[in-house]
């Protein structure tokens, strides 16, 4: 698929995203729609599906990128304290499956209706995309990252949703396990999605460390307020808004973003 065809597909998914119920901003839909076009070879795994908005976007983008299926995992039980509250527990499973059917991706999603820590022991597939949007507590987000990190292929992308929202799990895992890790090179934030490219044993370049540490420093100013809020303590909302505005989290340019990440596969390190 050439660049123009890819952009048409992504634009169509942006329009589709407007009609889907869920918790993704427009720039986040665009980001997810871009991910399957990454040159890495492996599976796409979504942890946390809710009503299926990101599942549908990822599945349709994967089809456009030449992949037959993606994988997704969610018990659909709304049993976590950080789960959204705009759905009825008893109705969610049927709503999710109906959405996959309505948008014609049911046969393109290998769905595991279970907790991610129950799926992890039986998971064997290499991963090119790991999309974490499940339990937003620190133990939950850390477990999702740690359990599936061993399956990442070099050049894979890990994404955590709600890095800039009110939960301490995604922001802490992104800071500690991606920004401070020597296993991730290119990193960034799009909307509230924190992402990093897994480099395995390849050395991290100076400019990559510079970007990562700059992001870390900006997020570190925001983190105390997030933890205070999670503890039920009052937070200065104006300060929080200002600190968040200082963190770069704008939309990507899909072709430029892919070009930058795909350089990993064309650059040889001796």
């Amino acid at each position: 698929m050439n660049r123009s065809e890819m952009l048409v597909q992504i634009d169509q998914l942006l329009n589709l995203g407007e009609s889907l119920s869920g918790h993704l901003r427009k720039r986040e839909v665009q980001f997810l729609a871009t991910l399957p076009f990454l040159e890495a070879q492996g599976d796409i795994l979504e942890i946390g599906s809710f009503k299926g908005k990101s599942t549908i976007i990822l599945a349709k983008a994967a089809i456009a990128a030449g992949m037959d299926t993606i994988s997704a995992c969610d018990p659909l039980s709304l049993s976590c304290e950080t789960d959204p509250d705009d759905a009825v527990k008893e109705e969610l499973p049927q709503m999710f499956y109906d959405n996959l059917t309505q948008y014609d991706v049911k046969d393109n999603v290998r769905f595991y209706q279970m907790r991610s820590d129950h799926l992890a022991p039986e998971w064997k597939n290499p991963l090119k995309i790991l999309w974490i949007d499940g339990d937003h507590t620190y133990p939950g987000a850390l477990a999702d990252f740690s359990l599936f990190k061993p399956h990442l292929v070099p050049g894979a992308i890990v994404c955590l949703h709600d890095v800039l929202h009110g939960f301490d799990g995604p922001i802490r895992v992104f800071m500690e396990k991606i920004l401070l890790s020597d296993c991730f090179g290119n990193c960034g934030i799009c909307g509230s999605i924190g992402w990093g490219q897994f480099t395995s044993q390849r050395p991290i370049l100076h400019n990559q460390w510079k970007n990562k540490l700059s992001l870390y420093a900006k997020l570190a100013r925001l983190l105390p307020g997030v933890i205070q809020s999670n503890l039920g303590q009052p937070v200065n909302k104006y300060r929080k808004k200002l600190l968040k505005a200082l963190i770069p989290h704008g939309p990507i340019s899909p072709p430029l973003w892919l070009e930058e990440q795909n350089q990993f596969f064309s650059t040889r390190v001796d």
Side-chain angles (χ1 to χ4, degrees):
M1 177 178 295
N2 61 40
R3 171 174 169 157
S4 297
E5 292 172 332
M6 179 188 71
L7 290 176
V8 168
Q9 293 291 333
I10 292 174
D11 284 344
Q12 289 176 349
L13 291 176
L14 275 174
N15 293 332
L16 174 62
E18 296 294 320
S19 65
L20 296 171
S21 176
H23 299 275
L24 291 171
R25 299 170 64 185
K26 187 174 182 179
R27 68 184 65 172
E28 296 171 341
V29 170
Q30 182 195 50
F31 182 80
L32 292 182
T34 302
L35 287 175
F37 293 95
L38 189 74
E39 289 182 4
Q41 298 299 309
D43 202 352
I44 295 173
L45 174 61
E46 169 187 84
I47 299 176
S49 301
F50 192 43
K51 298 178 184 179
K53 182 171 184 174
S54 61
T55 321
I56 293 166
I57 296 298
L58 283 170
K60 285 190 171 292
I63 294 168
M67 300 178 63
D68 293 329
T69 58
I70 68 164
S71 298
C73 173
D74 192 319
L76 299 178
S77 59
L78 297 179
S79 55
C80 177
E81 62 188 85
T82 63
D83 283 336
D85 59 5
D86 56 331
V88 177
K89 175 181 177 179
E90 292 75 18
E91 298 175 358
L92 182 59
Q94 190 61 52
M95 182 184 301
F96 172 77
Y97 289 114
D98 285 348
N99 283 338
L100 295 193
T101 300
Q102 178 181 348
Y103 292 96
D104 199 27
V105 294
K106 187 175 182 179
D107 293 337
N108 304 99
V109 178
R110 294 190 299 269
F111 186 65
Y112 302 87
Q113 190 173 338
M114 61 176 69
R115 289 164 45 121
S116 54
D117 57 345
H118 293 169
L119 172 63
E122 64 183 69
W123 185 266
K124 305 298 181 185
N125 297 346
L127 292 173
K128 68 179 272 184
I129 304 295
L130 176 58
W131 163 236
I132 300 174
D133 191 19
D135 184 345
H136 283 13
T137 65
Y138 179 68
L142 180 61
D144 286 338
F145 176 88
S146 301
L147 288 171
F148 291 94
K149 179 187 173 186
H151 300 285
L152 297 174
V153 300
I157 300 292
V158 176
C159 324
L160 293 109
H161 196 210
D162 292 327
V163 163
L164 296 183
H165 285 181
F167 308 104
D168 70 329
I171 186 173
R172 289 178 60 188
V173 172
F174 180 63
M175 291 173 67
E176 297 169 9
K177 301 302 180 181
I178 294 181
L179 294 183
L180 292 185
S181 171
D182 58 3
C183 293
F184 290 86
N186 294 334
C187 297
I189 301 176
C190 177
S192 196
I193 298 175
W195 63 271
Q197 185 169 41
F198 182 64
T199 59
S200 187
Q201 301 300 314
R202 184 177 296 190
I204 307 302
L205 302 177
H206 173 75
N207 66 320
Q208 291 173 327
W209 272 120
K210 182 177 180 181
N211 176 59
K212 285 173 21 138
L213 294 178
S214 175
L215 269 179
Y216 183 93
K218 291 180 173 66
L219 289 169
R221 299 177 196 145
L222 188 66
L223 184 58
V226 173
I227 295 177
Q228 281 182 308
S229 178
N230 277 245
L231 293 174
Q233 299 176 3
V235 176
N236 186 322
K237 295 182 179 179
Y238 296 103
R239 174 177 169 78
K240 178 181 177 181
K241 185 175 181 180
L242 173 62
L243 292 176
K244 182 177 175 180
L246 295 175
I247 299 169
H249 58 286
I252 64 168
S253 165
L256 295 179
W257 186 88
L258 284 169
E259 181 180 357
E260 184 175 358
Q261 311 325 310
N262 286 336
Q263 285 178 1
F264 179 89
F265 307 103
S266 59
T267 303
R268 178 177 176 178
V269 177
D270 294 322

